[in-house]
């Protein structure tokens, strides 16, 4: 596997080795020893799959207690996936990285703990898969506005559907520090 830097500390694009021929393909989607060799998690606490329709935007989500690192990939379709550094004291606080993930390009994105995460679906629909370093704790989940002008994510298209929770999310500058994940020292 190749691991590509995004410019944000810990956020990396993973290009797994894909073996294919006219019959189809084989790919290791995750392996503890390979992951550990690149400084990535060697264990996960939870795995999830979601499907979303074209133009659905989800995020920017995070947990302020029990923050989750996420290894994300797309099994069907295409998305634009985004990570935003929200660690107080981080030199890259408020900066974002984004990448297109698709079933065709097999890329994965690792979003470390302390980052908000979101995506928009670019294809008719997308089947999204992600491993999490800690279990989901809804009581600690927070959203930041996907269209926060200070973060200024360059989404590749205008969303067609955003949940009420995500539409009402505050800008990062309006989130009290105690609702942010642990900071950098």
């Amino acid at each position: 596997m190749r691991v590509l830097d995004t410019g944000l500390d810990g956020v990396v694009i993973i290009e797994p080795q894909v073996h294919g021929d006219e019959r189809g393909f084989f790919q290791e989607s995750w392996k503890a020893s390979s992951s550990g060799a690149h400084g990535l998690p060697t264990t996960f606490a939870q795995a999830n799959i979601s499907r979303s329709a074209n133009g659905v935007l989800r995020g920017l989500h995070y947990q302020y207690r029990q923050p989750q690192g996420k290894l994300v990939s797309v099994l069907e379709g295409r998305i634009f996936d985004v990570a935003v550094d929200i660690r107080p004291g981080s030199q890259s606080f408020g900066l974002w990285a984004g990448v297109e993930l698709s079933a065709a390009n097999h890329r994965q994105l690792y979003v470390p703990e302390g980052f908000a995460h979101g995506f928009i679906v670019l294809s008719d629909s997308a089947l999204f898969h992600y491993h999490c370093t800690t279990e989901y704790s809804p009581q600690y989940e927070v959203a930041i506005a996907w269209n926060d002008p200070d973060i200024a994510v360059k989404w590749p298209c205008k969303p067609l559907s955003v949940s009420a929770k995500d539409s009402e999310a505050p800008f990062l500058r309006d989130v009290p520090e105690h609702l942010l994940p642990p900071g950098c020292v």
Side-chain angles (χ1 to χ4, degrees), residues 27-162:
Q27 144 192 348
E28 280 183 353
S29 63
W30 179 80
K31 185 175 176 180
S33 60
S34 298
S35 189
H38 291 282
L40 300 170
T42 58
T43 60
F44 289 101
Q46 183 173 334
N48 305 305
I49 295 176
S50 71
R51 180 178 299 279
S52 297
N54 176 259
V56 168
L57 189 143
R58 297 187 185 273
L60 302 162
H61 302 152
Y62 68 95
Q63 291 184 177
Y64 65 95
R65 287 199 189 141
Q66 299 175 342
Q68 293 180 306
K70 296 177 181 177
L71 177 63
V72 300
S73 61
V74 173
L75 305 176
E76 295 174 1
R78 291 177 27 221
I79 68 167
F80 183 70
D81 201 69
V82 172
V84 179
D85 187 349
I86 58 168
R87 301 169 298 164
S90 168
Q91 294 202 13
S92 57
F93 182 82
L95 299 181
W96 65 277
V99 63
E100 183 175 307
L101 304 178
S102 71
N105 72 18
H106 301 276
R107 283 181 151 188
Q108 301 170 315
L109 185 68
Y110 181 67
V111 179
E113 296 175 0
F115 285 73
H117 173 256
F119 66 91
I120 189 167
V121 177
L122 304 175
S123 51
D124 288 342
S125 68
L127 187 62
F128 185 76
H129 182 264
Y130 51 110
H131 286 85
C132 302
T133 58
T134 60
E135 292 185 13
Y136 175 64
S137 297
Q139 69 273 27
Y140 302 130
E141 184 181 43
V142 179
I144 295 168
W146 63 272
N147 57 352
D148 185 322
D150 296 332
I151 298 171
V153 172
K154 291 183 175 73
W155 298 100
C157 57
K158 185 176 179 178
L160 301 176
S161 177
V162 178

